[in-house]
Amino acid sequence: GDGVMGLMYDELIQNPCMAHLAGELTNMALRVMASAIEWSDFEPEDLEGLMTDLSDALNRVNGMGTTNQERVQAMKEYALQYAKKYGMKMPDAMAEMAAVALIDKLGHTGGTLTAEDLYDLFRAYTSGK
């Protein structure tokens, strides 16, 4: 089924008065995710692995000729899978917000994302910009 966050997000984007809220939601999700990654205190190679996995997943999802909702759903599954792989606790709703946020920020690049692109995105959010 379509997740609550994704549906809320779609509603927000479709309503011109609320579009700025969708942006806020994205920023909040990324801040939370960036903090979670910081607090997880990963070994450098694990962090590298996570960023590589997530950017690969994003590239795969971005290449899917499907609706945004389906892309979010697919990305959410990847996020949950990789969180588990690297021992991060990630609630379902968090994974969904992260998926919405990542697709929103990096889903329209057309090119191929690298782990470095993701690092840059998260760094921007952890340094309090």
Side-chain angles (χ1 to χ4, degrees), residues 27-87:
N27 289 336
M28 188 178 78
L30 286 168
R31 268 196 297 276
V32 172
M33 200 170 167
S35 306
I37 288 172
E38 262 195 327
W39 294 328
S40 295
D41 213 21
F42 285 116
E43 292 300 313
E45 58 274 15
D46 282 348
L47 187 55
E48 179 102 4
L50 178 63
M51 292 294 153
T52 302
D53 282 346
L54 282 175
S55 53
D56 285 350
L58 255 173
N59 287 327
R60 233 170 296 152
V61 169
N62 285 336
M64 290 166 43
T66 52
T67 64
N68 209 45
Q69 193 61 56
E70 288 167 308
R71 283 196 287 271
V72 166
Q73 207 49 43
M75 191 62 210
K76 175 182 141 181
E77 298 303 323
Y78 282 127
L80 286 170
Q81 183 187 326
Y82 296 138
K84 195 176 278 132
K85 175 175 170 184
Y86 293 100

Side-chain angles (χ1 to χ4, degrees), residues 88-108:
M88 256 178 105
K89 297 238 182 305
M90 189 180 278
D92 212 64
M94 171 74 209
E96 187 157 341
M97 275 180 82
V100 168
L102 289 172
I103 287 171
D104 189 47
K105 289 284 183 198
L106 298 172
H108 314 287

